[in-house]
Amino acid sequence: MDLKNKYKYARAFVVLVAALITLILNIKFKREIIHSLIIMLIVIIVFYIISTIAIKLIDKIRTMDTKVEQVDEENDDENQDENQENNN
C-alpha cells in the first residue's frame, strides 16, 4: 500500500482536531470573534506544518526500514551462495 494513500487524511484529521479544541477553548473563555479567529488561523497553520513534517518523517523512516530489509535479504542471499560454493 502506498504511504500517501495510507496517510491521505492524517494531516486533515490532525488539523481539524486542533481547530476543534481551539474552538471549544475560545467558547469556554468567551473570547471575541476576531481574536478567536486569529488564534484559530494560527493553530491551523502551525498544526498543518507539524503534521506535514511528521508525515514526511514517517515516510523517511519507513523507506529506511524497507532499504535495510532489502540489504539484509541481499546479504543473506550472498552468504548462502558463498556457503554453497565453499561446500562444493
Side-chain angles (χ1 to χ4, degrees):
M1 178 176 252
D2 189 28
L3 185 71
K4 290 183 180 180
N5 288 335
K6 189 172 184 179
Y7 296 110
K8 185 176 182 179
Y9 301 111
R11 184 180 302 128
F13 180 75
V14 169
V15 170
L16 288 174
V17 168
L20 178 66
I21 292 170
T22 304
L23 176 68
I24 292 170
L25 290 174
N26 285 333
I27 291 171
K28 179 182 176 189
F29 292 120
K30 299 177 182 172
R31 293 192 174 115
E32 293 180 15
I33 190 74
I34 299 297
H35 191 250
S36 175
L37 289 174
I38 292 170
I39 293 171
M40 180 87 67
L41 181 64
I42 293 169
V43 166
I44 288 172
I45 291 170
V46 168
F47 275 89
Y48 181 82
I49 292 168
I50 290 171
S51 61
T52 301
I53 293 170
I55 289 173
K56 287 186 180 188
L57 285 174
I58 290 170
D59 184 33
K60 194 174 252 188
I61 290 169
R62 291 195 62 180
T63 305
M64 283 180 12
D65 288 343
T66 305
K67 288 180 182 177
V68 168
E69 289 174 2
Q70 289 174 351
V71 169
D72 287 343
E73 289 174 3
E74 290 174 5
N75 288 339
D76 289 342
D77 291 341
E78 289 175 5
N79 288 337
Q80 288 176 354
D81 292 339
E82 288 177 8
N83 288 337
Q84 288 177 354
E85 289 175 5
N86 290 337
N87 289 336
N88 291 334

